[in-house]
Amino acid sequence: MAETLCLRVCSHFRQDVETALAGLGAKDVRVQSYPAVCTLRPGRCNLAEARETPPPEGSDGALVFLGCDAETRAAPPDPRVHLVKLDHCIHLLAGSDVLEPEIQGGAYLVTAGWLKQWRGHLREMGFDRQTAVEFFRECSRELLLLDTGNDAHALGDLEAMAAYLGLPCRSRYVGLDYLRLFLSGAMAKWRHLAAETKTREILAQANRKVADYAMAFDLLVRLSHITDEEATIAAIQELFAMLFGCTNLVYAQVEEGRVKEIFAAEERPRDRLDLQQALDALHEGYLIMPSGNGFFLRIDYRDTVLGLMLVREIPFPAYRDQYLNLGLAISNLCGLAISNARTFVKLQEAERNLRHERDINARLFQQVRVLADTDPLTELLNRRRFSELAEVEFARAKRYSTPIAVIMLDIDHFKQVNDTYGHAVGDQVLKAISERLRAVRVSDILARYGGEELVALCPETNAREAERFAERLRLALQQHAVETTEGPLQIPASIGVAMLEGGVENLDALIDRADQALYAAKSAGRNCVRVYGRDPDESPS
């Protein structure tokens, strides 16, 4: 669409300018005239109104043709108003190549518009007839009409003025070609300047839009790293607000086709109902609001609806379709971000569940391991686990030639306890003796070897230390009765001790020697300690 333009010219030239424009077919140009300065009293008008008045409504700009204004240095306050400065107003009708020779020849140049008010001009110049005759005869040889052929009365006006002054006169036909050319050039220059201004504005808008898109792209990139759905929704709202210049945004979180939660700076009473109805009515990715100044935009990913964005009261409704197309272009990316956030939450939940199950399994495994490795009654190691651990310590002692001892303990007359008080009391006795064994040697490998027989493997323990440990344990049992449900019972025990010495090649051999020492203690009358390979009467070294 072509720009509309207003031309402001001196009232003397309005008729010629309108005729010239008609010949140019300039239908998008309108003409305004300002009062001729030469017909006004000095100082009454300096064309300020013509220069400072904004273009009329419906016009994109105004050109002011000035040939009489002495104050044309300052630019008009409205940038749409442009000044076309002339050395003299008659330069609208002819160029210097025509005018200068005539002036040099003594001609006084007049126009048809000026001649219509020639008597008023003379009065404004302060002349009566006598002073006018004297002035014009002194400065002019003749009166010369620049005839455009646009005023049939111009020659008559010229002859009347010439007779009044007593000067010869003539007419020179200049037509309207020069005026058309001058106007065409002025309008073309204005359109060029307007196009430049518009181009700069478009470029500035494009740069702003590129900056907005760059920020939007940056935000989209950040969306891909957000792992919380609410934070993702906030970022999407920020993105739409930045692109559309609209702060009245409403986002509906959707699950299984229903509006779950609404995110908005200002939620209105009907928002939830409107959003659900729009969601149910959506057959495409969007729905225009009945008011026309907004739209509903579906946020989905892989045929799953994840959200619904309501963009309402957009600042420039004329650009609604552009906003909508932009929204559709980024809605899939927004849907991907929401889907990623939900998937991340599911993965976190699955990870927590797996971690919980792993912890349960670890505890169960530990419990099973304990059950598999320990005796359920005494909570000491069972014979199998004792053998595994003892083999390791035995091999280390053999490798580094360090002392190691095995102590075997057997409760004396334990069968009588079971027969007299029952197996429940017998179990209480076994548990109590096991606790005392743990209390005396917490660093050793302790086990229930079978029945009422207990065993201890004592690493880094020589014969003297092992015998003292065995004796201390025997005295603890002898001096402190075992509390049972049948009352306190005195429980003696026989103990055998064996050391890693010559001839012992494996753990079984060492245990067998301790068992032989235990048998020797039983044979010696019970409730005593015997060390394998040493005379009972011999003192420990």
Side-chain angles (χ1 to χ4, degrees):
M1 181 177 178
E3 295 87 353
T4 57
L5 176 64
C6 173
L7 301 185
R8 291 179 181 154
V9 297
C10 172
S11 59
H12 288 167
F13 297 91
R14 177 165 186 162
Q15 183 176 345
D16 290 334
V17 170
E18 288 179 339
T19 304
L21 288 175
L24 292 173
K27 297 180 180 180
D28 55 343
V29 180
R30 59 187 295 186
V31 180
Q32 288 181 335
S33 61
Y34 55 81
V37 177
C38 52
T39 63
L40 301 176
R41 289 193 299 272
R44 181 175 178 182
C45 180
N46 62 356
L47 302 183
E49 183 177 352
R51 297 171 61 248
E52 297 177 5
T53 303
E57 185 177 353
S59 296
D60 297 298
L63 290 181
V64 182
F65 294 89
L66 297 174
C68 303
D69 189 5
E71 300 180 11
T72 57
R73 294 182 181 179
D78 193 320
R80 296 172 298 166
V81 177
H82 300 266
L83 304 182
V84 181
K85 299 177 182 179
L86 305 168
D87 292 337
H88 194 283
C89 56
I90 60 175
H91 284 163
L92 278 173
L93 304 181
S96 298
D97 58 331
V98 172
L99 301 178
E100 288 302 322
E102 297 289 1
I103 293 173
Q104 293 296 327
Y108 188 89
L109 307 181
V110 294
T111 64
W114 188 89
L115 282 172
K116 289 180 179 181
Q117 304 178 48
W118 66 268
R119 295 183 185 275
H121 293 326
L122 294 182
R123 285 194 299 269
E124 291 295 332
M125 294 168 70
F127 295 138
D128 56 18
R129 182 172 185 177
Q130 182 179 349
T131 55
V133 169
E134 290 175 357
F135 172 78
F136 276 91
R137 284 184 178 181
E138 183 177 342
C139 67
S140 305
R141 184 177 58 84
E142 63 176 343
L143 296 179
L144 176 62
L145 169 64
L146 298 177
D147 188 10
T148 61
N150 198 37
D151 188 342
H153 302 289
L155 287 176
D157 293 335
L158 174 66
E159 290 171 353
M161 180 178 177
Y164 180 80
L165 297 175
L167 287 176
C169 64
R170 64 186 175 92
S171 171
R172 178 167 179 171
Y173 181 76
V174 294
L176 294 174
D177 290 342
Y178 183 86
L179 179 58
R180 292 191 188 97
L181 184 62
F182 187 89
L183 294 176
S184 296
M187 292 188 296
K189 184 177 181 180
W190 174 82
R191 288 195 169 91
H192 176 71
L193 292 174
E196 282 188 347
T197 302
K198 187 173 183 179
T199 300
R200 284 194 296 269
E201 178 61 26
I202 292 174
L203 182 60
Q205 291 178 356
N207 288 335
R208 288 193 295 269
K209 189 61 69 176
V210 167
D212 288 345
Y213 285 168
M215 288 189 291
F217 179 76
D218 178 64
L219 190 56
L220 284 172
V221 171
R222 287 196 289 120
L223 275 176
S224 65
H225 300 292
I226 299 175
T227 54
D228 178 77
E229 184 170 357
E230 289 193 16
T232 305
I233 291 171
I236 290 173
Q237 289 178 307
E238 179 185 349
L239 172 64
F240 275 74
M242 179 178 61
L243 290 178
F244 301 158
C246 177
T247 58
N248 196 358
L249 297 168
V250 182
Y251 183 93
Q253 185 184 43
V254 177
E255 290 187 3
E256 298 180 353
R258 307 301 298 174
V259 173
K260 179 182 178 183
E261 190 171 351
I262 293 178
F263 298 84
E266 179 185 353
E267 183 179 348
R268 299 177 182 177
R270 283 188 52 85
D271 279 350
R272 181 174 293 273
L273 178 61
D274 290 343
L275 287 163
Q276 187 62 57
Q277 289 178 345
L279 183 64
D280 295 338
L282 274 174
H283 300 295
E284 299 182 14
Y286 66 94
L287 183 66
I288 303 297
M289 292 182 63
S291 63
N293 68 339
F295 52 86
F296 296 89
L297 184 67
R298 189 172 61 201
I299 306 297
D300 53 16
Y301 184 67
R302 291 186 175 178
D303 299 327
T304 300
V305 180
L306 305 173
L308 186 66
M309 176 69 79
L310 170 55
V311 181
R312 61 188 176 196
E313 299 174 7
I314 54 180
F316 301 103
Y319 296 98
R320 184 200 65 199
D321 291 344
Q322 289 90 325
Y323 290 154
L324 177 58
N325 290 333
L326 180 59
L328 289 170
I330 64 175
S331 62
N332 285 338
L333 293 174
C334 295
L336 174 61
I338 294 292
S339 177
N340 287 343
R342 292 189 181 181
T343 301
F344 183 79
V345 170
K346 292 178 181 178
L347 288 175
Q348 282 186 316
E349 182 65 24
E351 184 180 357
R352 283 194 295 269
N353 292 337
L354 287 173
R355 190 183 300 114
H356 180 65
E357 291 180 6
R358 186 171 63 246
D359 292 342
I360 292 175
N361 290 336
R363 288 195 297 270
L364 291 175
F365 178 80
Q366 183 64 26
Q367 292 173 4
V368 171
R369 182 66 183 268
V370 170
L371 291 174
D373 292 346
T374 60
D375 174 63
L377 175 64
T378 63
E379 297 183 357
L380 298 177
L381 296 177
N382 57 29
R383 184 168 181 170
R384 179 192 59 78
R385 184 58 175 162
F386 171 81
S387 298
E388 292 175 353
L389 298 178
E391 286 285 2
V392 175
E393 293 298 332
F394 181 85
R396 183 182 292 114
K398 289 279 288 184
R399 184 181 306 112
Y400 297 107
S401 300
T402 56
I404 192 171
V406 171
I407 298 175
M408 298 286 290
L409 179 149
D410 186 85
I411 300 173
D412 294 335
H413 307 298
F414 185 68
K415 185 175 183 303
Q416 292 182 9
V417 173
N418 284 333
D419 292 344
T420 303
Y421 302 104
H423 288 282
V425 173
D427 290 346
Q428 294 173 20
V429 170
L430 275 174
K431 290 181 67 174
I433 293 177
S434 299
E435 290 173 359
R436 292 182 185 182
L437 180 60
R438 272 195 297 265
V440 175
R441 293 284 292 194
V442 296
S443 62
D444 296 335
I445 301 174
L446 311 176
R448 182 182 182 185
Y449 207 65
E452 68 275 15
E453 196 171 63
L454 307 178
V455 63
L457 181 77
C458 307
E460 306 288 339
T461 303
N462 57 33
R464 183 178 180 181
E465 293 169 339
E467 187 175 0
R468 286 179 177 176
F469 163 50
E471 184 63 25
R472 189 164 64 251
L473 178 60
R474 186 190 69 79
L475 290 174
L477 295 176
Q478 179 181 336
Q479 296 172 359
H480 301 283
V482 175
E483 296 293 337
T484 70
T485 54
E486 296 293 332
L489 299 179
Q490 201 72 38
I491 303 297
S494 300
I495 302 174
V497 179
M499 305 299 303
L500 176 57
E501 297 173 338
V504 178
E505 298 298 330
N506 52 54
L507 177 64
D508 289 341
L510 181 59
I511 293 175
D512 183 64
R513 287 189 175 187
D515 191 54
Q516 292 181 42
L518 173 62
Y519 182 75
K522 291 283 188 182
S523 299
R526 294 180 173 81
N527 192 22
C528 63
V529 175
R530 291 291 182 263
V531 178
Y532 179 83
R534 198 176 72 225
D535 191 313
D537 297 327
E538 181 182 348
S539 299
S541 55

